[in-house]
Amino acid sequence: MSVDPWLTIVGLGEDGPDGLPHASRKALENAEVVMGAARHLSLLPQITAETVTWPVPYADGLTLLLKNRGRQTVVLASGDPFWHGAGGSLTKHLEPGEWRSLPAPSTMSLAAATLGWPLESTITMGLHAAPFARLRPHLANGARAIVTLRDGDAASDFAAWLTGIGFGASTLHVLEALGGPRQRIRQSAAQELAFTDITHPVSVAIEAQGGPALTTASGRADTFFENDGQITKRPVRALTLSALAPLPGEHLWDIGGGSGSIAIEWLLAHPRTRATSVEINADRAERIKANAASLGADRLKVVTGAAPEALAGLDAPDAIFIGGGISEEMLQTVWQQMPEGARLVANAVTLEAEVLLANWQAQNGGDLLRIELAHANPLGRKRGWKSAYPIVQWSVTK
């Protein structure tokens, strides 16, 4: 049985209802309750509906909204509610058929139309309630991005952050109140931004310049990861990520996280990948969190504790990496907890660990790979090869 929606999510531009399509204006005329931020409510003409200012914290507003279930209710949102907007957080609390959305042009669309940037080749991100570092993997010379920010102070903080990571030469287009009578657009290099009167709502378009950029290939430079020597080095990391073969939506267990480089690169492979890093050393666990945050992978979950005990209660993995502390007990526990179809990659350095992996490979199949690397080093007035310890890698699908 179809049910008429009691909730309408209306996208509102800075010119208020004047620029709204007929359906949005009609929804406002027929509403019993209108909810929205104070800024959005101030754009409306005199209306007969009860008005409710959306409170802070945001979650309290959801409680108020659901109390109106069954009454004709309008929630005001900026632009397109489902493009870095409030739509997704609202509708996950509702049943199909309870709501409808009437979008207006999004901030991203207005910015692209103003600057002449094709949206399909422009990075778009909502950073008004997210760390600036979410943009870090996308920054490279010539990259274009449009981001929403919390307020004018955040725009200055954003410019300082860009400068701090080497992208101070980037051109910033500071976009205020797009689409309305207060619209203002100004440009500055990030390292020179000195505007003190930036007003909300604000977004920033970036033409990136500087570096260093993060390569899109596995095996990023070791220098991106703060570490105390416990790190899977770049060439071995590239081979390990290739064996782990991350897919969108998959979850990795990184056992013996060290610097977090494996888990972080897993997360950089796709925005829907998930990862949990298990590290016994508390200092290293904190370092893993900091590395993840600085590289835009703050969704990494870090568990401080000893495996296999620390694995209890974790979400089931699609792939597992064991980079240190391999033991018979560890492999037994991991193998029992792995679901069918999950992948395991383990790297061994010691002879004892090599024997252990060889035995497990003989029993359970998979591939054994011996990795031997050497780097050119000074040898007197000439150069010679300095070999690293060989690594034996076992990769298997259960």
Side-chain angles (χ1 to χ4, degrees), residues 71-312:
R71 301 176 70 192
Q72 285 299 308
T73 302
V74 167
V75 169
L76 302 174
S78 294
D80 184 344
F82 288 91
W83 188 250
H84 304 288
S89 57
L90 289 174
T91 56
K92 67 182 180 182
H93 299 278
L94 302 169
E95 298 295 329
E98 285 194 281
W99 59 274
R100 62 174 177 160
S101 177
L102 301 174
S106 69
T107 296
M108 310 304 179
S109 295
L110 292 171
T114 299
L115 299 171
W117 292 6
L119 271 179
E120 69 271 13
S121 58
T122 301
I123 301 150
T124 59
M125 300 190 79
L127 300 183
H128 50 279
F132 298 151
R134 295 271 179 90
L135 185 64
R136 183 66 182 89
H138 306 282
L139 290 173
N141 284 331
R144 286 175 167 177
I146 302 169
V147 302
T148 56
L149 297 175
R150 183 188 68 251
D151 53 28
D153 289 341
S156 298
D157 294 342
F158 181 67
W161 172 77
L162 284 171
T163 302
I165 61 171
F167 284 87
S170 301
T171 299
L172 301 187
H173 304 265
V174 181
L175 313 165
E176 301 167 73
L178 285 178
R182 297 187 300 115
Q183 175 173 301
R184 181 168 58 174
I185 301 171
R186 292 177 286 177
Q187 290 79 32
S188 171
Q191 61 200 9
E192 298 170 358
L193 187 74
F195 306 142
T196 59
D197 58 345
I198 302 172
T199 58
H200 183 71
V202 59
S203 56
V204 172
I206 306 104
E207 295 179 271
Q209 190 68 34
L214 280 168
T215 176
T216 56
S218 296
R220 277 81 173 180
D222 295 346
T223 52
F224 283 115
F225 305 94
E226 293 291 332
N227 68 88
D228 59 0
Q230 291 297 313
I231 181 173
T232 303
K233 297 295 179 62
R234 183 187 62 79
V236 176
R237 192 181 334 121
L239 291 169
T240 300
L241 266 295
S242 177
L244 286 168
L247 291 172
E250 288 193 327
H251 181 209
L252 171 74
W253 285 0
D254 178 15
I255 301 173
S259 68
S261 60
I262 292 290
I264 291 169
E265 290 220 25
W266 170 279
L267 293 174
L268 293 177
H270 192 275
R272 290 203 298 114
T273 50
R274 298 183 298 134
T276 301
S277 185
V278 178
E279 172 55 53
I280 190 172
N281 184 287
D283 290 338
R284 288 178 186 156
E286 289 304 311
R287 192 177 293 117
I288 290 170
K289 294 177 185 177
N291 282 337
S294 69
L295 296 174
D298 55 289
R299 66 188 187 279
L300 174 62
K301 178 180 179 181
V302 180
V303 175
T304 305
E309 295 80 10
L311 304 177

Side-chain angles (χ1 to χ4, degrees), residues 22-60:
H22 173 76
S24 297
R25 294 198 303 272
K26 199 71 176 174
L28 284 167
E29 291 172 6
N30 295 334
E32 298 173 70
V33 181
V34 176
M35 294 184 65
R39 179 175 65 84
H40 288 144
L41 293 174
S42 70
L43 295 172
L44 298 180
Q46 192 69 32
I47 57 175
T48 58
E50 174 190 351
T51 58
V52 179
T53 301
W54 200 282
V56 176
Y58 183 83
D60 292 350

